[in-house]
Amino acid sequence: MDSFEEEKKKIERFVKERDWDQFHSPANLAKSISIESSEFLKCFQWNEKNYGKRVAQEEFADVMIYCFQMGIAMDFDIKKIIAEKMAKNAVK
Amino acid sequence: MDSFEEEKKKIERFVKERDWDQFHSPANLAKSISIESSEFLKCFQWNEKNYGKRVAQEEFADVMIYCFQMGIAMDFDIKKIIAEKMAKNAVK
Amino acid sequence: MDSFEEEKKKIERFVKERDWDQFHSPANLAKSISIESSEFLKCFQWNEKNYGKRVAQEEFADVMIYCFQMGIAMDFDIKKIIAEKMAKNAVK
Amino acid sequence: MDSFEEEKKKIERFVKERDWDQFHSPANLAKSISIESSEFLKCFQWNEKNYGKRVAQEEFADVMIYCFQMGIAMDFDIKKIIAEKMAKNAVK
């Protein structure tokens, strides 16, 4: 099992323990990824150079966590779909 | 080396070959993650239930690819920062 | 009638003629504003200084048009709610 | 002077009194519109039907306020560019 699948398992457990999976439709998670990535962007809102590395790291982690939750909800093999998209982007 | 580090290496090579790394400041990548996550959200814009799984998969992959580029630009140990944020979220 | 109300009327007519109002729930329009504002942000994705003024203008107009559609869907008196929020922001 | 121009004047005064205009480059404001529209989207993150009308109204007002600040920064005649974009959208 690669790290992505491990990560999905770990996060899935976390979410199920809290009964949050009932809210985790793909549409809700897509909104959530978008919302979290905006909170991350906030670190660079007024100044692109001086940002709090600690806060940035935490906001980024939240984006990643929602991405893995999406991987769970849509049953994505994350490693594989990245490889496929990279191959497609390479052609462009 | 875990899959996260492997993925970062693979994407880093891809980006360097195209000389794109000059544009990949954390601020620009934060904008990019936000922009791509909105393109992903577009799959669910007017209808939350019926969405093209193929398009969704590709848009999601683009979000992930930019996330890894951010991991490279900010030198994040992605596995570690997710674990730390999960631990913090668990306390809440 | 102030320009905001006039604008809402004009856009409402446009939307109704196309039978789009059935899709215009507040939630769908909130997604749409977010999506369009990301397309606008795209003008500044890799370079904050050199952007196409024409494209920027059109993307910005799309954000505004969705905002007015939201004003219609939620029956907002836009002039009034801006004034109220400004007063609140002034205190901070 | 139409309400759009009036609104711009009012917000411009507010911003200048606080010396915030130094930060209000088009790029920073584009990020800000995107960030605020995500905060607005948050009202509909987990439930599309039951949302706090009061909070939604305030978040929406913040989006509009940044839009007017963009109108100031890019010297847009908002009424005019909406009309032009509507005419273009009508053709599609």
Side-chain angles (χ1 to χ4, degrees):
Chain A
M1 189 162 66
D2 69 42
S3 315
F4 295 115
E5 290 305 308
E6 264 176 54
E7 208 60 40
K8 275 164 66 180
K9 287 268 168 277
K10 219 184 302 175
I11 293 175
E12 194 170 17
R13 217 174 310 125
F14 184 90
V15 166
K16 284 223 167 120
E17 280 167 14
R18 284 155 183 81
D19 263 332
W20 288 345
D21 45 329
Q22 53 179 321
F23 305 111
H24 287 190
S25 64
N28 285 355
L29 290 170
K31 281 178 274 176
S32 303
I33 292 173
S34 187
I35 288 165
E36 285 301 328
S37 68
S38 258
E39 288 185 13
F40 179 40
L41 182 58
K42 231 174 167 166
C43 301
F44 310 94
Q45 184 174 10
W46 304 115
N47 191 316
E48 308 242 309
K49 300 274 196 285
N50 300 310
Y51 49 88
K53 186 144 190 204
R54 185 78 213 165
V55 187
Q57 181 180 310
E58 295 198 357
E59 296 297 350
F60 176 74
D62 279 331
V63 176
M64 289 299 286
I65 292 167
Y66 273 124
C67 283
F68 278 101
Q69 289 175 356
M70 181 61 85
I72 297 160
M74 295 193 71
D75 199 24
F76 283 146
D77 179 338
I78 295 177
K79 205 182 168 69
K80 187 163 151 271
I81 70 175
I82 290 179
E84 284 176 11
K85 194 61 198 337
M86 296 272 291
K88 199 169 168 178
N89 291 350
V91 178
K92 283 195 282 200
Chain B
M1 190 162 64
D2 69 42
S3 313
F4 292 106
E5 290 305 307
E6 265 176 52
E7 209 60 41
K8 275 166 64 182
K9 286 269 168 277
K10 220 185 301 175
I11 293 174
E12 194 170 18
R13 217 175 308 124
F14 184 91
V15 166
K16 284 224 166 118
E17 281 166 14
R18 284 154 183 82
D19 263 333
W20 289 346
D21 45 328
Q22 54 178 318
F23 305 112
H24 287 190
S25 65
N28 285 356
L29 289 171
K31 282 178 273 175
S32 303
I33 292 173
S34 186
I35 288 165
E36 285 302 328
S37 68
S38 257
E39 288 185 12
F40 179 40
L41 182 58
K42 232 175 167 165
C43 301
F44 310 94
Q45 185 174 10
W46 304 115
N47 190 316
E48 308 243 308
K49 300 271 195 287
N50 300 309
Y51 49 88
K53 185 141 191 208
R54 186 79 212 162
V55 187
Q57 182 179 309
E58 294 197 357
E59 296 297 351
F60 176 73
D62 279 331
V63 176
M64 289 299 285
I65 292 167
Y66 273 125
C67 283
F68 279 102
Q69 289 174 357
M70 181 61 84
I72 297 160
M74 295 192 72
D75 199 24
F76 282 146
D77 179 338
I78 296 177
K79 204 183 168 69
K80 187 165 152 270
I81 70 174
I82 290 179
E84 284 177 9
K85 194 61 198 336
M86 297 272 290
K88 198 170 169 177
N89 291 350
V91 178
K92 282 195 281 199
Chain C
M1 189 163 65
D2 71 41
S3 314
F4 295 117
E5 290 305 308
E6 265 176 52
E7 208 60 41
K8 275 166 64 181
K9 286 269 169 276
K10 219 185 303 175
I11 293 175
E12 195 170 16
R13 217 176 309 126
F14 183 91
V15 166
K16 283 224 166 121
E17 280 167 14
R18 284 153 184 81
D19 263 331
W20 288 345
D21 45 329
Q22 54 179 318
F23 304 112
H24 287 189
S25 65
N28 284 356
L29 289 171
K31 281 179 272 176
S32 302
I33 292 173
S34 187
I35 289 165
E36 284 301 329
S37 68
S38 258
E39 288 185 13
F40 179 40
L41 183 58
K42 231 174 166 165
C43 300
F44 311 93
Q45 185 173 10
W46 304 116
N47 190 317
E48 309 241 307
K49 300 271 195 288
N50 301 310
Y51 49 87
K53 185 142 190 204
R54 186 79 213 164
V55 187
Q57 182 179 310
E58 295 198 356
E59 295 298 350
F60 176 73
D62 279 332
V63 176
M64 288 300 285
I65 292 167
Y66 273 125
C67 283
F68 279 102
Q69 290 175 356
M70 182 61 85
I72 297 160
M74 295 193 72
D75 199 23
F76 282 145
D77 179 338
I78 295 178
K79 204 182 169 67
K80 187 164 151 269
I81 70 174
I82 290 179
E84 284 176 10
K85 194 62 198 336
M86 295 272 291
K88 199 171 169 177
N89 290 351
V91 178
K92 283 194 282 199
Chain D
M1 190 162 65
D2 69 41
S3 313
F4 291 106
E5 290 304 307
E6 264 176 53
E7 208 60 42
K8 276 165 65 181
K9 286 270 168 276
K10 217 185 303 175
I11 294 175
E12 194 170 16
R13 216 175 310 124
F14 183 90
V15 166
K16 284 223 166 119
E17 281 167 13
R18 285 154 183 80
D19 263 333
W20 288 346
D21 46 327
Q22 54 180 318
F23 305 112
H24 286 190
S25 66
N28 284 356
L29 289 171
K31 282 179 273 177
S32 302
I33 292 173
S34 187
I35 288 165
E36 284 301 329
S37 69
S38 258
E39 288 185 14
F40 179 41
L41 182 57
K42 231 174 167 166
C43 300
F44 311 94
Q45 184 173 11
W46 303 115
N47 190 315
E48 308 241 308
K49 300 272 195 286
N50 301 310
Y51 49 87
K53 185 142 191 207
R54 187 78 213 164
V55 187
Q57 182 179 310
E58 295 198 355
E59 295 298 349
F60 176 73
D62 279 332
V63 176
M64 289 300 286
I65 292 167
Y66 274 124
C67 283
F68 280 102
Q69 290 174 355
M70 182 61 86
I72 297 160
M74 296 192 72
D75 199 23
F76 282 146
D77 179 338
I78 296 178
K79 203 182 168 69
K80 187 163 152 272
I81 70 174
I82 290 180
E84 284 177 11
K85 194 62 198 339
M86 295 272 291
K88 198 171 168 178
N89 290 350
V91 178
K92 283 195 280 199

